[in-house]
Amino acid sequence: MEIGIDSFASAMYGSKELGSQDAMQQLLDRIVAADEAGLDIFGIGEHHKKEFLDSAPAVILAAAAALTKKIRLTSAVTVLSTSDPVRIFQSFATLDIISKGRAEIVVGRGSAIEAYPLFGYDLNDYDALFKEKLKLLLQIRDQELVTWSGKFRPALQNQPVYPRPVQEKLPVWVGVGGTPQSFVRAGMLGLPLMVAIIGRETERFRPLIDLYRKSGQEAGFSPDQLKVGLHSPGYVGKDDRSAIADYYPGYAQLWTKLGRERGWPPVTRGQFDSLIAPKGVLVVGGPETVAQKLLRHSQALGGVDRFTFQMDNAGLSHQQLKQSIELIGTEVIPQIRKNG
């Protein structure tokens, strides 16, 4: 199992809001720390909100590429529905060149919808946009000369798209939530799947992941082509008690705030305790607890190829996040490799 971090480039740490320059410098510092600690992957999301600095993830990843040596660099996710697939491919092909073959893309429709009015797209076309643009992105990836026509973009007639990446086939993952059709589509295309699980119990996604694998195998893809990744909130402390003490206050504050915006009730400690229980979605605890939970999740889902922690969403300080990254590299990953 590959292990990594996903970040939304938050500028908020507890009650303190950092300036954008400081927040970005600290983010790049954490990506370097993850590279040095031996983590496999670092992802940058895409949002268009004041509290996040990730509206241009490929730019952040390119800066990180110049500072790192081994870690793979990916979006998490690119909102493909509101982007031009030509420009997305060009940006990540350029990232692949800068990083010497370490770039990946996770594409999705976007769980947050602020990009749709910002770029002039209609939410009624939510799924149609993604379906058409994913088809074009894959065609550009696979063919240097592209002939294509669709509804949402001007046609291309034997048009070359440059630059080409270092990797023969730039990895494209499909980011999904809980819509069965999204799992089927990824399987039919033989694309690796990144599942965002942020609530309740992780094992409830097993039927959807089985559907993905079944759809992929029926489309002629081998099991080793049908990779499954998980993205969930998490944090590793030196032990369970300190990890919970660090994580809970900021988590409760954030999700209670989101609840007011979306009509959810406030977070309670009882709810939090159920989410950090063995089957719960939050991967929070000391290194041994976290390693065992990830192995348990993998077994419950029929095998997981990648797990990424979303850590900068609970008011944690830069130093706490760096310490957690170090513990993931030095203690969590060795336990998973030994017992997985």
Side-chain angles (χ1 to χ4, degrees), residues 77-222:
V77 303
T78 292
V79 185
L80 184 60
S81 301
T82 60
S83 303
D84 181 354
V86 174
R87 293 299 285 159
I88 290 297
F89 180 83
Q90 290 175 324
S91 294
F92 280 86
T94 302
L95 172 63
D96 204 48
I97 293 168
I98 295 170
S99 67
K100 300 178 182 178
R102 293 185 280 133
E104 299 189 5
I105 314 174
V106 180
V107 297
R109 296 177 296 181
S111 58
I113 60 173
E114 70 273 3
Y116 287 81
L118 181 63
F119 296 111
Y121 288 98
D122 189 339
L123 268 174
N124 292 322
D125 297 322
Y126 186 74
D127 192 62
L129 280 163
F130 181 74
K131 183 178 180 181
E132 178 179 297
K133 292 189 176 191
L134 178 58
K135 183 178 180 181
L136 175 55
L137 178 65
L138 295 177
Q139 186 174 341
I140 295 169
R141 181 190 69 168
D142 297 340
Q143 300 173 9
E144 189 170 330
L145 298 175
V146 179
T147 296
W148 174 91
S149 63
K151 178 180 177 182
F152 300 106
R153 190 200 186 281
L156 298 170
Q157 183 62 43
N158 202 34
Q159 182 70 44
V161 179
Y162 300 116
R164 307 306 297 181
V166 174
Q167 297 175 87
E168 182 177 351
K169 208 164 193 176
L170 189 67
V172 176
W173 295 62
V174 176
V176 298
T179 306
Q181 182 56 38
S182 296
F183 287 78
V184 171
R185 175 163 46 218
M188 292 178 65
L189 293 170
L191 296 175
L193 186 76
M194 179 56 71
V195 189
I197 306 178
I198 61 173
R200 297 171 57 189
E201 295 184 347
T202 298
E203 65 182 33
R204 69 190 173 93
F205 278 79
R206 178 62 185 264
L208 291 171
I209 291 173
D210 286 346
L211 181 62
Y212 160 71
R213 291 179 171 132
K214 180 175 182 290
S215 300
Q217 289 171 12
E218 289 178 349
F221 297 99
S222 61

